[in-house]
Amino acid sequence: MKKFMNDAGSLAVDSQEGFVAAHDDLVAFGQGRKHVRRKVFTPGKVAVIAGGGAGHEPMHIGFIGKGMLDAACTGHVFTSPTPDQILSAIQEADNGAGVLLIVKNYDGDVMNFEMAAEMAASTGSHRIETLIVNDDIAIERTARGTGRRGVAGTLVVEKIVGAAAEAGRDLAALKAIGEAAIAATRTMGVALKGATVPQTTRETFVLGDDEMEVGVGIHGEPGRSREKIADAATITAMICSQILDDLAPVRDQRILLFVNGLGGTPPSELYVMFGLARRFFEERGLVVSRRLVGTYATSLDMAGISITVTLLDDALTVLWDAPVATAALHW
Amino acid sequence: MKKFMNDAGSLAVDSQEGFVAAHDDLVAFGQGRKHVRRKVFTPGKVAVIAGGGAGHEPMHIGFIGKGMLDAACTGHVFTSPTPDQILSAIQEADNGAGVLLIVKNYDGDVMNFEMAAEMAASTGSHRIETLIVNDDIAIERTARGTGRRGVAGTLVVEKIVGAAAEAGRDLAALKAIGEAAIAATRTMGVALKGATVPQTTRETFVLGDDEMEVGVGIHGEPGRSREKIADAATITAMICSQILDDLAPVRDQRILLFVNGLGGTPPSELYVMFGLARRFFEERGLVVSRRLVGTYATSLDMAGISITVTLLDDALTVLWDAPVATAALHW
């Protein structure tokens, strides 16, 4: 294992500290360094809070700022933040208009955010709603267990809900807007090389020179299947056709197309995939009216990509287009 | 070799096409697809043009837009664009105020940009100046040959010169501003894993599990030395102390600190390095007044980082802060 780090145990903390050092015009540590928050909160708006394990940077801390998140909590690598961390973010960010928690659908995250919400609500002083993002179509809807995972599509939900919160919408409206964004969003990922967890010094799965892992999540878990490596057009068609099947859009449907790097994939390759995916959807009668390409939701150093599609209507488009000023997204 | 690509020979072209497809609100192909240009030129301003081999994305095409470049030419992987490509960019972007070419100091790039400048000037209709960026301190100044290479610091020069051009400065002033930015800028890089060139399917240098390559460029050439891998603090101190020695800043000097990923390094590790580098310089009495962290000047999938420092005065700070609206830089 080779990483730019001081120590396997300190990577998450050192990385978060470096992030705050780089962006202290936008963000600051919360009390006790339990979370990272906007430097200046907007009075009167609903607080939007997200979080998850470390190793997904810039998700979620890179999305803190005007038009997106108010605070984010980061746990150890691939490990949920504790209820105590989440509670501290709720207490610091809530200024009376309530709190919307955005949670990726993983057992640990869901449990700890739920626990924190209960602790905060039981004091009687916080109104809280929760959105569970489950955009990953690599997991069957009908599967036993917890259902589909939340992956890169969480960025889309956070952007859209964050814009609506900034526009002054109330907690109930934000919950509904978030549910609409989740219902409109699907993601699938492929890896050419697994992630190496610093503490174990091993890749979480090891691929042969001619293999790829299809349907990967972002916590190093194996994907849905291991297949022979294919060219970019074949991989794109495989992912995009499954997304299409799942979303079943109408003809001329407008979409947001988001190609995400999983950490070890260079921009040159992300652009190859974007070009192919855009053409794929346009040839099938969809209108790629909004796009995003970059490394936003990572799985440490995993060499891989994911493709996310969100079906856009006028309301979601306006919210996507609204100004955002964070470390990772800015327009 | 594993890459998201259709074909080794088409990676550069497919990637550029995907880039334009993702950012066609900002950029467009020039005539005959020989270069990429701003969708809309600003009348009356000096045209700022850069270029180089493919494999460094988002450099330079990601820097096209208001406040930075007017056009960029991309060759094959790690290969200079042809004089014909550069000439087409000059002819399309020059609207009478002249052209400033920004060239990284590599033999092939310098030769081809010079040839294009001569071809354009000989027609009598284009006034042209050239800046040669040579920020890489891994190469000795006194070395025989072509001197120091141009690497990630080229971004800083392009941002500063681009802002001055947007502000209406004339060709002679831009040349002087660019020379000042170059004189104030130094970079050094370290790799944990070499770049794999698609055509050869091999890494350009192969490191052992406990080795790192110190003083790498961005064309896959070996660095200055191969050393035993070290922790992030040791690597940071090694790079930053050499930059300090070379720049010899005064106490309380303001600097721009720029930590760049070379393509295969995840954001989590870039932030670790930024935090350490910021502390290194602050402990030595410098003021890190501006910062940038991200994957901007790459060497295909190389796992590595570079650290760039620019000494800032009021004039350079104002130009750095000026609005920029490109695919890769936006504020």
Side-chain angles (χ1 to χ4, degrees):
Chain A
M1 176 186 63
K2 289 175 162 187
K3 286 187 193 294
F4 291 100
M5 66 180 185
N6 276 340
D7 181 88
S10 73
L11 173 62
V13 167
D14 291 347
S15 181
Q16 184 162 261
E17 192 169 308
F19 173 84
V20 174
H23 299 290
D24 58 9
D25 51 332
L26 288 173
V27 302
F29 276 111
Q31 272 211 324
R33 298 201 164 201
K34 290 179 185 171
H35 65 275
V36 178
R37 47 160 286 186
R38 288 193 200 187
K39 204 166 171 188
V40 180
F41 289 125
T42 307
K45 78 178 263 302
V46 173
V48 183
I49 297 173
H56 307 308
E57 294 76 12
M59 181 177 268
H60 302 271
I61 51 176
F63 308 146
I64 299 170
K66 211 167 162 64
M68 216 160 162
L69 302 180
D70 292 273
C73 309
T74 308
H76 295 293
V77 171
F78 294 170
T79 306
S80 172
T82 62
D84 181 52
Q85 286 182 275
I86 302 161
L87 183 62
S88 84
I90 292 171
Q91 288 170 335
E92 205 161 320
D94 186 6
N95 56 50
V99 176
L100 189 71
L101 302 175
I102 303 181
V103 185
K104 300 192 297 301
N105 191 29
Y106 287 93
D107 285 346
D109 288 329
V110 171
M111 187 177 70
N112 285 1
F113 273 88
E114 204 169 88
M115 213 177 294
E118 281 168 18
M119 289 157 71
S122 73
T123 69
S125 57
H126 299 285
R127 286 180 306 127
I128 296 178
E129 292 283 359
T130 300
L131 291 169
I132 309 283
V133 185
N134 59 353
D135 54 314
D136 186 358
I137 62 166
I139 307 289
E140 292 300 324
R141 272 202 185 287
T142 52
R144 288 164 60 90
T146 49
R148 290 180 164 178
R149 301 172 292 211
V151 287
T154 312
L155 175 153
V156 180
V157 177
E158 292 176 5
K159 170 67 185 80
I160 284 170
V161 169
E166 208 70 51
R169 304 299 300 271
D170 68 18
L171 188 55
L174 294 183
K175 166 95 170 164
I177 289 164
E179 298 289 8
I182 292 168
T185 300
R186 299 290 188 281
T187 299
M188 186 165 158
V190 166
L192 304 183
K193 191 181 147 297
T196 308
V197 175
Q199 281 85 349
T200 64
T201 78
R202 282 192 306 273
E203 288 176 55
T204 57
F205 54 83
V206 179
L207 297 172
D209 283 345
D210 62 344
E211 291 178 327
M212 62 182 181
E213 189 80 9
V214 175
V216 289
I218 56 173
H219 291 94
E221 64 273 45
R224 192 162 68 181
S225 62
R226 190 156 302 178
E227 299 182 16
K228 211 171 147 56
I229 193 168
D231 66 17
T234 305
I235 295 172
T236 306
M238 179 186 64
I239 296 176
C240 295
S241 60
Q242 291 186 49
I243 289 176
L244 267 192
D245 285 352
D246 209 87
L247 277 172
V250 297
R251 211 179 155 78
D252 295 324
Q253 169 73 51
R254 285 168 294 159
I255 63 170
L256 161 67
L257 173 58
F258 166 27
V259 172
N260 174 58
L262 287 167
T265 303
S268 46
E269 297 175 37
L270 298 183
Y271 281 118
V272 169
M273 296 301 284
F274 181 86
L276 293 166
R278 178 175 174 165
R279 199 179 312 149
F280 180 95
F281 288 117
E282 289 183 344
E283 284 173 0
R284 278 149 190 85
L286 301 183
V287 179
V288 180
S289 63
R290 296 294 181 275
R291 336 66 198 265
L292 185 68
V293 188
T295 296
Y296 293 106
T298 61
S299 181
L300 291 169
D301 54 352
M302 181 183 277
I305 60 102
S306 64
I307 298 177
T308 297
V309 171
T310 298
L311 305 181
L312 292 175
D313 57 18
D314 288 345
L316 293 180
T317 301
V318 166
L319 293 168
W320 178 258
D321 288 348
V324 59
T326 69
L329 282 190
H330 194 288
W331 58 73
Chain B
M1 176 186 62
K2 289 175 162 187
K3 286 185 192 298
F4 291 100
M5 65 179 186
N6 275 339
D7 181 87
S10 74
L11 172 62
V13 167
D14 291 347
S15 180
Q16 183 163 261
E17 192 167 308
F19 173 84
V20 174
H23 299 290
D24 59 8
D25 51 333
L26 289 173
V27 303
F29 276 112
Q31 272 212 324
R33 299 200 163 201
K34 290 178 184 170
H35 64 274
V36 178
R37 47 160 285 185
R38 287 193 201 187
K39 204 165 172 190
V40 180
F41 289 125
T42 307
K45 78 177 263 302
V46 173
V48 183
I49 297 173
H56 307 308
E57 294 75 10
M59 179 176 272
H60 301 273
I61 51 177
F63 308 146
I64 299 170
K66 211 165 162 65
M68 216 161 162
L69 302 180
D70 292 272
C73 310
T74 308
H76 296 292
V77 172
F78 294 170
T79 306
S80 172
T82 63
D84 181 52
Q85 286 182 274
I86 302 162
L87 183 62
S88 83
I90 293 171
Q91 289 170 336
E92 205 161 321
D94 186 7
N95 56 50
V99 176
L100 190 70
L101 302 175
I102 302 181
V103 185
K104 300 193 295 301
N105 191 28
Y106 288 92
D107 286 345
D109 288 328
V110 171
M111 188 177 70
N112 285 2
F113 273 88
E114 205 169 88
M115 212 177 293
E118 281 168 17
M119 289 157 70
S122 73
T123 68
S125 56
H126 300 285
R127 285 179 306 128
I128 296 178
E129 292 284 358
T130 300
L131 291 169
I132 310 283
V133 185
N134 59 353
D135 54 314
D136 186 0
I137 62 166
I139 307 289
E140 293 299 324
R141 272 205 184 286
T142 53
R144 288 163 59 93
T146 49
R148 289 179 164 177
R149 300 172 292 210
V151 288
T154 311
L155 174 153
V156 180
V157 177
E158 293 176 4
K159 170 67 184 81
I160 284 171
V161 169
E166 208 71 50
R169 305 300 299 271
D170 68 18
L171 188 55
L174 294 183
K175 167 93 171 165
I177 290 164
E179 298 288 9
I182 292 168
T185 301
R186 300 289 188 282
T187 300
M188 188 165 155
V190 165
L192 304 183
K193 190 180 149 298
T196 308
V197 176
Q199 281 86 351
T200 65
T201 77
R202 283 193 305 273
E203 288 176 53
T204 58
F205 54 83
V206 179
L207 297 173
D209 283 346
D210 62 345
E211 291 178 327
M212 62 181 180
E213 190 81 9
V214 175
V216 290
I218 56 174
H219 292 93
E221 64 274 45
R224 192 164 68 181
S225 63
R226 188 157 303 178
E227 299 181 16
K228 211 172 148 55
I229 195 168
D231 66 17
T234 306
I235 296 172
T236 305
M238 179 186 63
I239 296 176
C240 294
S241 60
Q242 291 186 51
I243 290 176
L244 267 192
D245 285 351
D246 209 89
L247 277 172
V250 296
R251 213 181 153 76
D252 295 327
Q253 168 73 52
R254 285 169 294 160
I255 63 170
L256 161 67
L257 174 57
F258 166 28
V259 171
N260 174 59
L262 287 166
T265 303
S268 47
E269 298 176 37
L270 299 183
Y271 281 118
V272 170
M273 296 301 284
F274 181 87
L276 294 166
R278 178 174 176 168
R279 199 180 312 150
F280 180 95
F281 288 118
E282 289 183 344
E283 285 173 359
R284 280 152 190 83
L286 302 182
V287 179
V288 179
S289 63
R290 295 295 181 275
R291 338 65 199 264
L292 185 67
V293 187
T295 296
Y296 292 106
T298 61
S299 181
L300 292 167
D301 54 353
M302 181 183 277
I305 60 100
S306 64
I307 298 178
T308 297
V309 171
T310 298
L311 306 180
L312 292 175
D313 58 18
D314 288 345
L316 293 181
T317 302
V318 166
L319 293 168
W320 178 260
D321 287 348
V324 59
T326 69
L329 282 191
H330 194 287
W331 60 71

